[in-house]
Amino acid sequence: MHTCVAIGILKKDDRVLFLKRERGNFPGLLALPGGKLEEGEGVYEAVVREIEEETGIITKVKSFLGTAAEIIYEGEKTLSTILFFCELEQIGVNGKIEETYHWLPIECLQNNPDIVFSDLLFLKHFYLDKDKNYIKVKCIHQDDGTYVWEKDEI
């Protein structure tokens, strides 16, 4: 199965917005906010819509940061996700919240086991270091429920 997902990186002061995953892949872990593109929707529209739905925070896209391919292996099933990353700017709040979100200090992000590992890679390379605009990662969902990531060097 192939999926396209728009992900937003929203920074306030020296903190980055993360959501606690309640369902889907990586439940219980913190992840950068975003979601699947709906039919007929572009990347920018999708990321703004998803963040408002999930957090009540109204944003606009500041810049496009990069693209990633994340291949998730779950037993016999393989999920291929193309992720598009955008830097966002907050322009308001609408008050409705769907997910639990957290503003995490940038200095606390490195190797944080509570954050989806691939999101840390994407944040580092696309936003903090700005040294890549494409990353491919493989994620293996283990039988014990844990995840193991491998980054392909390009």
Side-chain angles (χ1 to χ4, degrees):
M1 179 192 340
H2 299 282
T3 305
C4 290
V5 174
I7 304 290
I9 296 175
L10 182 58
K11 186 177 145 208
K12 183 166 87 174
D13 302 320
D14 286 332
R15 298 172 181 273
V16 176
L17 181 68
F18 283 87
L19 300 176
K20 186 165 187 175
R21 301 277 304 174
E22 302 295 336
R23 57 189 183 278
N25 294 319
F26 321 118
L29 294 177
L30 296 171
L32 293 168
K36 296 176 186 168
L37 276 69
E38 294 180 352
E39 190 172 332
E41 188 175 45
V43 171
Y44 290 0
E45 295 85 7
V47 72
V48 167
R49 175 187 51 76
E50 283 285 345
I51 290 176
E52 185 174 355
E53 285 176 3
E54 294 171 344
T55 67
I57 298 171
I58 301 166
T59 61
K60 69 177 183 179
V61 174
K62 213 168 150 183
S63 65
F64 180 75
L65 299 172
T67 305
E70 186 166 34
I71 316 302
I72 302 174
Y73 299 94
E74 296 190 77
E76 301 286 320
K77 191 166 96 174
T78 302
L79 305 169
S80 298
T81 305
I82 303 299
L83 302 108
F84 300 94
F85 289 82
C86 301
E87 179 181 9
L88 301 173
E89 179 180 343
Q90 183 173 341
I91 57 174
V93 178
N94 76 11
K96 79 176 179 185
I97 298 171
E98 185 177 297
E99 304 277 344
T100 304
Y101 66 90
H102 307 271
W103 292 97
L104 300 180
I106 289 174
E107 67 270 7
C108 295
L109 300 179
Q110 188 173 347
N111 299 321
N112 186 326
D114 296 326
I115 300 173
V116 174
F117 179 75
S118 52
D119 281 8
L120 290 174
L121 285 176
F122 304 144
L123 183 67
K124 176 185 180 341
H125 292 294
F126 293 153
Y127 185 73
L128 298 174
D129 295 349
K130 296 185 183 186
D131 61 352
K132 296 190 184 300
N133 60 14
Y134 175 78
I135 297 172
K136 180 180 176 186
V137 294
K138 295 177 186 173
C139 176
I140 299 147
H141 190 182
Q142 308 272 345
D143 290 338
D144 66 0
T146 60
Y147 295 90
V148 176
W149 281 271
E150 299 171 3
K151 178 179 157 193
D152 282 358
E153 292 299 328
I154 297 189

PDB file of all heavy atoms in Angstrom, residues 24 30 32 53 57 59 70-71 74 77 86 90-91 93 95 101 103 105 107-109 114 125 131 139 141-142:
ATOM      1  N   GLY A  24      -2.995   3.971  14.790  1.00  0.00           N
ATOM      2  CA  GLY A  24      -2.150   3.821  13.605  1.00  0.00           C
ATOM      3  C   GLY A  24      -0.775   3.326  13.978  1.00  0.00           C
ATOM      4  O   GLY A  24      -0.594   2.628  14.984  1.00  0.00           O
ATOM      5  N   LEU A  30       5.556   9.976  20.619  1.00  0.00           N
ATOM      6  CA  LEU A  30       5.360  11.342  20.159  1.00  0.00           C
ATOM      7  C   LEU A  30       5.819  11.447  18.709  1.00  0.00           C
ATOM      8  O   LEU A  30       6.826  10.846  18.332  1.00  0.00           O
ATOM      9  CB  LEU A  30       6.145  12.316  21.032  1.00  0.00           C
ATOM     10  CG  LEU A  30       5.708  12.385  22.491  1.00  0.00           C
ATOM     11  CD1 LEU A  30       6.699  13.210  23.300  1.00  0.00           C
ATOM     12  CD2 LEU A  30       4.309  12.963  22.613  1.00  0.00           C
ATOM     13  N   LEU A  32       5.814  14.146  14.946  1.00  0.00           N
ATOM     14  CA  LEU A  32       5.517  15.423  14.316  1.00  0.00           C
ATOM     15  C   LEU A  32       4.089  15.372  13.783  1.00  0.00           C
ATOM     16  O   LEU A  32       3.636  14.321  13.319  1.00  0.00           O
ATOM     17  CB  LEU A  32       6.501  15.689  13.172  1.00  0.00           C
ATOM     18  CG  LEU A  32       7.951  15.922  13.609  1.00  0.00           C
ATOM     19  CD1 LEU A  32       8.879  15.885  12.404  1.00  0.00           C
ATOM     20  CD2 LEU A  32       8.082  17.252  14.351  1.00  0.00           C
ATOM     21  N   GLU A  53      -6.995  20.274  12.682  1.00  0.00           N
ATOM     22  CA  GLU A  53      -7.868  19.214  13.189  1.00  0.00           C
ATOM     23  C   GLU A  53      -7.307  18.568  14.453  1.00  0.00           C
ATOM     24  O   GLU A  53      -8.044  18.263  15.388  1.00  0.00           O
ATOM     25  CB  GLU A  53      -8.052  18.114  12.131  1.00  0.00           C
ATOM     26  CG  GLU A  53      -8.960  18.477  10.995  1.00  0.00           C
ATOM     27  CD  GLU A  53      -9.036  17.404   9.927  1.00  0.00           C
ATOM     28  OE1 GLU A  53      -8.422  16.320  10.077  1.00  0.00           O
ATOM     29  OE2 GLU A  53      -9.709  17.649   8.917  1.00  0.00           O
ATOM     30  N   ILE A  57      -4.602  24.455  16.350  1.00  0.00           N
ATOM     31  CA  ILE A  57      -3.674  25.531  15.992  1.00  0.00           C
ATOM     32  C   ILE A  57      -3.824  25.832  14.501  1.00  0.00           C
ATOM     33  O   ILE A  57      -3.751  24.937  13.662  1.00  0.00           O
ATOM     34  CB  ILE A  57      -2.219  25.143  16.323  1.00  0.00           C
ATOM     35  CG1 ILE A  57      -2.065  24.922  17.835  1.00  0.00           C
ATOM     36  CG2 ILE A  57      -1.253  26.210  15.824  1.00  0.00           C
ATOM     37  CD1 ILE A  57      -0.733  24.339  18.247  1.00  0.00           C
ATOM     38  N   THR A  59      -2.376  27.428  11.158  1.00  0.00           N
ATOM     39  CA  THR A  59      -1.033  27.697  10.648  1.00  0.00           C
ATOM     40  C   THR A  59      -1.088  28.101   9.179  1.00  0.00           C
ATOM     41  O   THR A  59      -2.122  27.996   8.529  1.00  0.00           O
ATOM     42  CB  THR A  59      -0.143  26.441  10.762  1.00  0.00           C
ATOM     43  OG1 THR A  59      -0.730  25.393   9.988  1.00  0.00           O
ATOM     44  CG2 THR A  59       0.032  25.996  12.196  1.00  0.00           C
ATOM     45  N   GLU A  70       9.352   6.358   3.683  1.00  0.00           N
ATOM     46  CA  GLU A  70       9.445   5.489   4.855  1.00  0.00           C
ATOM     47  C   GLU A  70       8.731   4.189   4.519  1.00  0.00           C
ATOM     48  O   GLU A  70       7.545   4.188   4.211  1.00  0.00           O
ATOM     49  CB  GLU A  70       8.816   6.144   6.087  1.00  0.00           C
ATOM     50  CG  GLU A  70       9.019   5.323   7.345  1.00  0.00           C
ATOM     51  CD  GLU A  70       8.696   6.104   8.607  1.00  0.00           C
ATOM     52  OE1 GLU A  70       7.785   6.945   8.595  1.00  0.00           O
ATOM     53  OE2 GLU A  70       9.367   5.863   9.624  1.00  0.00           O
ATOM     54  N   ILE A  71       9.492   3.100   4.549  1.00  0.00           N
ATOM     55  CA  ILE A  71       8.957   1.782   4.253  1.00  0.00           C
ATOM     56  C   ILE A  71       8.808   1.055   5.585  1.00  0.00           C
ATOM     57  O   ILE A  71       9.783   0.878   6.314  1.00  0.00           O
ATOM     58  CB  ILE A  71       9.904   0.970   3.337  1.00  0.00           C
ATOM     59  CG1 ILE A  71      10.458   1.821   2.195  1.00  0.00           C
ATOM     60  CG2 ILE A  71       9.225  -0.299   2.848  1.00  0.00           C
ATOM     61  CD1 ILE A  71       9.458   2.449   1.297  1.00  0.00           C
ATOM     62  N   GLU A  74       5.602  -4.851   8.427  1.00  0.00           N
ATOM     63  CA  GLU A  74       4.817  -5.428   9.520  1.00  0.00           C
ATOM     64  C   GLU A  74       4.451  -6.851   9.125  1.00  0.00           C
ATOM     65  O   GLU A  74       3.425  -7.065   8.479  1.00  0.00           O
ATOM     66  CB  GLU A  74       3.550  -4.608   9.771  1.00  0.00           C
ATOM     67  CG  GLU A  74       3.838  -3.212  10.245  1.00  0.00           C
ATOM     68  CD  GLU A  74       2.590  -2.497  10.710  1.00  0.00           C
ATOM     69  OE1 GLU A  74       2.145  -2.791  11.832  1.00  0.00           O
ATOM     70  OE2 GLU A  74       2.082  -1.661   9.960  1.00  0.00           O
ATOM     71  N   LYS A  77       3.041  -7.694   5.640  1.00  0.00           N
ATOM     72  CA  LYS A  77       2.532  -6.449   5.068  1.00  0.00           C
ATOM     73  C   LYS A  77       3.637  -5.391   4.980  1.00  0.00           C
ATOM     74  O   LYS A  77       4.427  -5.228   5.903  1.00  0.00           O
ATOM     75  CB  LYS A  77       1.386  -5.951   5.956  1.00  0.00           C
ATOM     76  CG  LYS A  77       0.579  -4.824   5.374  1.00  0.00           C
ATOM     77  CD  LYS A  77      -0.716  -4.645   6.155  1.00  0.00           C
ATOM     78  CE  LYS A  77      -0.571  -3.567   7.185  1.00  0.00           C
ATOM     79  NZ  LYS A  77      -1.786  -3.227   7.889  1.00  0.00           N
ATOM     80  N   CYS A  86       6.940  20.411   5.745  1.00  0.00           N
ATOM     81  CA  CYS A  86       6.780  21.852   5.594  1.00  0.00           C
ATOM     82  C   CYS A  86       7.062  22.528   6.924  1.00  0.00           C
ATOM     83  O   CYS A  86       6.686  22.028   7.978  1.00  0.00           O
ATOM     84  CB  CYS A  86       5.352  22.186   5.189  1.00  0.00           C
ATOM     85  SG  CYS A  86       4.832  21.438   3.650  1.00  0.00           S
ATOM     86  N   GLN A  90       2.545  29.723  13.089  1.00  0.00           N
ATOM     87  CA  GLN A  90       1.246  29.787  13.764  1.00  0.00           C
ATOM     88  C   GLN A  90       0.612  31.151  13.530  1.00  0.00           C
ATOM     89  O   GLN A  90       1.255  32.178  13.674  1.00  0.00           O
ATOM     90  CB  GLN A  90       1.401  29.539  15.257  1.00  0.00           C
ATOM     91  CG  GLN A  90       0.074  29.530  15.995  1.00  0.00           C
ATOM     92  CD  GLN A  90       0.220  29.114  17.451  1.00  0.00           C
ATOM     93  OE1 GLN A  90       1.195  28.518  17.840  1.00  0.00           O
ATOM     94  NE2 GLN A  90      -0.779  29.433  18.239  1.00  0.00           N
ATOM     95  N   ILE A  91      -0.692  31.128  13.165  1.00  0.00           N
ATOM     96  CA  ILE A  91      -1.386  32.395  12.952  1.00  0.00           C
ATOM     97  C   ILE A  91      -2.638  32.517  13.814  1.00  0.00           C
ATOM     98  O   ILE A  91      -3.321  33.524  13.768  1.00  0.00           O
ATOM     99  CB  ILE A  91      -1.729  32.618  11.458  1.00  0.00           C
ATOM    100  CG1 ILE A  91      -2.574  31.480  10.902  1.00  0.00           C
ATOM    101  CG2 ILE A  91      -0.470  32.830  10.645  1.00  0.00           C
ATOM    102  CD1 ILE A  91      -3.057  31.705   9.481  1.00  0.00           C
ATOM    103  N   VAL A  93      -5.517  30.199  16.901  1.00  0.00           N
ATOM    104  CA  VAL A  93      -5.977  28.980  17.568  1.00  0.00           C
ATOM    105  C   VAL A  93      -7.489  28.957  17.471  1.00  0.00           C
ATOM    106  O   VAL A  93      -8.142  29.979  17.685  1.00  0.00           O
ATOM    107  CB  VAL A  93      -5.548  28.953  19.058  1.00  0.00           C
ATOM    108  CG1 VAL A  93      -6.064  27.707  19.754  1.00  0.00           C
ATOM    109  CG2 VAL A  93      -4.038  29.044  19.198  1.00  0.00           C
ATOM    110  N   GLY A  95      -9.356  26.517  19.195  1.00  0.00           N
ATOM    111  CA  GLY A  95      -9.888  26.007  20.458  1.00  0.00           C
ATOM    112  C   GLY A  95     -10.296  24.556  20.478  1.00  0.00           C
ATOM    113  O   GLY A  95     -10.493  23.987  21.536  1.00  0.00           O
ATOM    114  N   TYR A 101      -1.098  17.142  22.535  1.00  0.00           N
ATOM    115  CA  TYR A 101       0.136  17.661  21.948  1.00  0.00           C
ATOM    116  C   TYR A 101       1.053  18.263  23.003  1.00  0.00           C
ATOM    117  O   TYR A 101       0.631  18.613  24.092  1.00  0.00           O
ATOM    118  CB  TYR A 101      -0.139  18.634  20.805  1.00  0.00           C
ATOM    119  CG  TYR A 101      -0.808  19.934  21.156  1.00  0.00           C
ATOM    120  CD1 TYR A 101      -0.051  21.054  21.488  1.00  0.00           C
ATOM    121  CD2 TYR A 101      -2.194  20.071  21.100  1.00  0.00           C
ATOM    122  CE1 TYR A 101      -0.658  22.255  21.766  1.00  0.00           C
ATOM    123  CE2 TYR A 101      -2.803  21.283  21.376  1.00  0.00           C
ATOM    124  CZ  TYR A 101      -2.028  22.371  21.711  1.00  0.00           C
ATOM    125  OH  TYR A 101      -2.632  23.565  21.988  1.00  0.00           O
ATOM    126  N   TRP A 103       4.795  20.768  23.412  1.00  0.00           N
ATOM    127  CA  TRP A 103       5.873  21.601  22.878  1.00  0.00           C
ATOM    128  C   TRP A 103       7.158  21.132  23.559  1.00  0.00           C
ATOM    129  O   TRP A 103       7.316  21.315  24.761  1.00  0.00           O
ATOM    130  CB  TRP A 103       5.622  23.072  23.175  1.00  0.00           C
ATOM    131  CG  TRP A 103       4.457  23.648  22.446  1.00  0.00           C
ATOM    132  CD1 TRP A 103       3.187  23.804  22.915  1.00  0.00           C
ATOM    133  CD2 TRP A 103       4.448  24.133  21.107  1.00  0.00           C
ATOM    134  NE1 TRP A 103       2.387  24.361  21.946  1.00  0.00           N
ATOM    135  CE2 TRP A 103       3.136  24.576  20.823  1.00  0.00           C
ATOM    136  CE3 TRP A 103       5.413  24.236  20.103  1.00  0.00           C
ATOM    137  CZ2 TRP A 103       2.773  25.122  19.586  1.00  0.00           C
ATOM    138  CZ3 TRP A 103       5.051  24.779  18.884  1.00  0.00           C
ATOM    139  CH2 TRP A 103       3.753  25.214  18.638  1.00  0.00           C
ATOM    140  N   PRO A 105      11.342  21.110  24.066  1.00  0.00           N
ATOM    141  CA  PRO A 105      12.551  21.904  23.816  1.00  0.00           C
ATOM    142  C   PRO A 105      13.467  21.187  22.820  1.00  0.00           C
ATOM    143  O   PRO A 105      13.659  19.972  22.905  1.00  0.00           O
ATOM    144  CB  PRO A 105      13.218  22.002  25.188  1.00  0.00           C
ATOM    145  CG  PRO A 105      12.166  21.629  26.180  1.00  0.00           C
ATOM    146  CD  PRO A 105      11.213  20.728  25.473  1.00  0.00           C
ATOM    147  N   GLU A 107      16.606  21.080  22.587  1.00  0.00           N
ATOM    148  CA  GLU A 107      17.752  20.405  23.201  1.00  0.00           C
ATOM    149  C   GLU A 107      17.390  19.050  23.813  1.00  0.00           C
ATOM    150  O   GLU A 107      18.270  18.240  24.110  1.00  0.00           O
ATOM    151  CB  GLU A 107      18.457  21.294  24.229  1.00  0.00           C
ATOM    152  CG  GLU A 107      17.647  21.612  25.458  1.00  0.00           C
ATOM    153  CD  GLU A 107      16.793  22.875  25.334  1.00  0.00           C
ATOM    154  OE1 GLU A 107      16.714  23.468  24.256  1.00  0.00           O
ATOM    155  OE2 GLU A 107      16.200  23.246  26.360  1.00  0.00           O
ATOM    156  N   CYS A 108      16.111  18.750  24.001  1.00  0.00           N
ATOM    157  CA  CYS A 108      15.680  17.465  24.581  1.00  0.00           C
ATOM    158  C   CYS A 108      15.307  16.426  23.525  1.00  0.00           C
ATOM    159  O   CYS A 108      14.845  15.341  23.870  1.00  0.00           O
ATOM    160  CB  CYS A 108      14.470  17.684  25.490  1.00  0.00           C
ATOM    161  SG  CYS A 108      14.831  18.693  26.922  1.00  0.00           S
ATOM    162  N   LEU A 109      15.478  16.729  22.254  1.00  0.00           N
ATOM    163  CA  LEU A 109      14.994  15.853  21.208  1.00  0.00           C
ATOM    164  C   LEU A 109      15.950  14.732  20.835  1.00  0.00           C
ATOM    165  O   LEU A 109      15.527  13.635  20.487  1.00  0.00           O
ATOM    166  CB  LEU A 109      14.658  16.665  19.951  1.00  0.00           C
ATOM    167  CG  LEU A 109      13.595  17.740  20.142  1.00  0.00           C
ATOM    168  CD1 LEU A 109      13.369  18.471  18.834  1.00  0.00           C
ATOM    169  CD2 LEU A 109      12.308  17.148  20.667  1.00  0.00           C
ATOM    170  N   ASP A 114      10.967   8.445  23.462  1.00  0.00           N
ATOM    171  CA  ASP A 114       9.519   8.660  23.422  1.00  0.00           C
ATOM    172  C   ASP A 114       9.041   9.265  22.106  1.00  0.00           C
ATOM    173  O   ASP A 114       7.849   9.484  21.921  1.00  0.00           O
ATOM    174  CB  ASP A 114       9.092   9.576  24.576  1.00  0.00           C
ATOM    175  CG  ASP A 114       9.341   8.933  25.926  1.00  0.00           C
ATOM    176  OD1 ASP A 114       9.203   7.710  26.033  1.00  0.00           O
ATOM    177  OD2 ASP A 114       9.692   9.672  26.864  1.00  0.00           O
ATOM    178  N   HIS A 125      17.671  16.537   9.797  1.00  0.00           N
ATOM    179  CA  HIS A 125      18.220  16.795   8.469  1.00  0.00           C
ATOM    180  C   HIS A 125      17.469  17.869   7.678  1.00  0.00           C
ATOM    181  O   HIS A 125      18.079  18.650   6.962  1.00  0.00           O
ATOM    182  CB  HIS A 125      18.292  15.503   7.656  1.00  0.00           C
ATOM    183  CG  HIS A 125      19.305  14.543   8.187  1.00  0.00           C
ATOM    184  ND1 HIS A 125      20.662  14.804   8.180  1.00  0.00           N
ATOM    185  CD2 HIS A 125      19.160  13.329   8.762  1.00  0.00           C
ATOM    186  CE1 HIS A 125      21.313  13.797   8.717  1.00  0.00           C
ATOM    187  NE2 HIS A 125      20.419  12.888   9.086  1.00  0.00           N
ATOM    188  N   ASP A 131      20.729  19.804   5.838  1.00  0.00           N
ATOM    189  CA  ASP A 131      21.782  19.201   5.015  1.00  0.00           C
ATOM    190  C   ASP A 131      21.252  18.180   4.005  1.00  0.00           C
ATOM    191  O   ASP A 131      22.010  17.629   3.230  1.00  0.00           O
ATOM    192  CB  ASP A 131      22.855  18.561   5.902  1.00  0.00           C
ATOM    193  CG  ASP A 131      22.324  17.446   6.786  1.00  0.00           C
ATOM    194  OD1 ASP A 131      21.097  17.235   6.844  1.00  0.00           O
ATOM    195  OD2 ASP A 131      23.151  16.772   7.436  1.00  0.00           O
ATOM    196  N   CYS A 139      11.558   0.799   8.387  1.00  0.00           N
ATOM    197  CA  CYS A 139      11.097   0.584   9.755  1.00  0.00           C
ATOM    198  C   CYS A 139      10.533  -0.829   9.847  1.00  0.00           C
ATOM    199  O   CYS A 139       9.659  -1.205   9.060  1.00  0.00           O
ATOM    200  CB  CYS A 139      10.026   1.611  10.099  1.00  0.00           C
ATOM    201  SG  CYS A 139       9.324   1.359  11.735  1.00  0.00           S
ATOM    202  N   HIS A 141       8.546  -3.436  12.150  1.00  0.00           N
ATOM    203  CA  HIS A 141       7.698  -3.599  13.332  1.00  0.00           C
ATOM    204  C   HIS A 141       7.933  -5.022  13.847  1.00  0.00           C
ATOM    205  O   HIS A 141       7.557  -5.993  13.217  1.00  0.00           O
ATOM    206  CB  HIS A 141       6.237  -3.376  12.952  1.00  0.00           C
ATOM    207  CG  HIS A 141       5.331  -3.282  14.124  1.00  0.00           C
ATOM    208  ND1 HIS A 141       3.982  -3.132  13.988  1.00  0.00           N
ATOM    209  CD2 HIS A 141       5.557  -3.297  15.464  1.00  0.00           C
ATOM    210  CE1 HIS A 141       3.416  -3.073  15.183  1.00  0.00           C
ATOM    211  NE2 HIS A 141       4.359  -3.175  16.080  1.00  0.00           N
ATOM    212  N   GLN A 142       8.587  -5.116  14.994  1.00  0.00           N
ATOM    213  CA  GLN A 142       8.964  -6.398  15.581  1.00  0.00           C
ATOM    214  C   GLN A 142       7.744  -7.124  16.159  1.00  0.00           C
ATOM    215  O   GLN A 142       6.733  -6.492  16.472  1.00  0.00           O
ATOM    216  CB  GLN A 142       9.989  -6.176  16.708  1.00  0.00           C
ATOM    217  CG  GLN A 142      11.183  -5.347  16.298  1.00  0.00           C
ATOM    218  CD  GLN A 142      12.292  -6.188  15.718  1.00  0.00           C
ATOM    219  OE1 GLN A 142      12.319  -7.397  15.846  1.00  0.00           O
ATOM    220  NE2 GLN A 142      13.230  -5.535  15.062  1.00  0.00           N
TER     221      GLN A 142
END
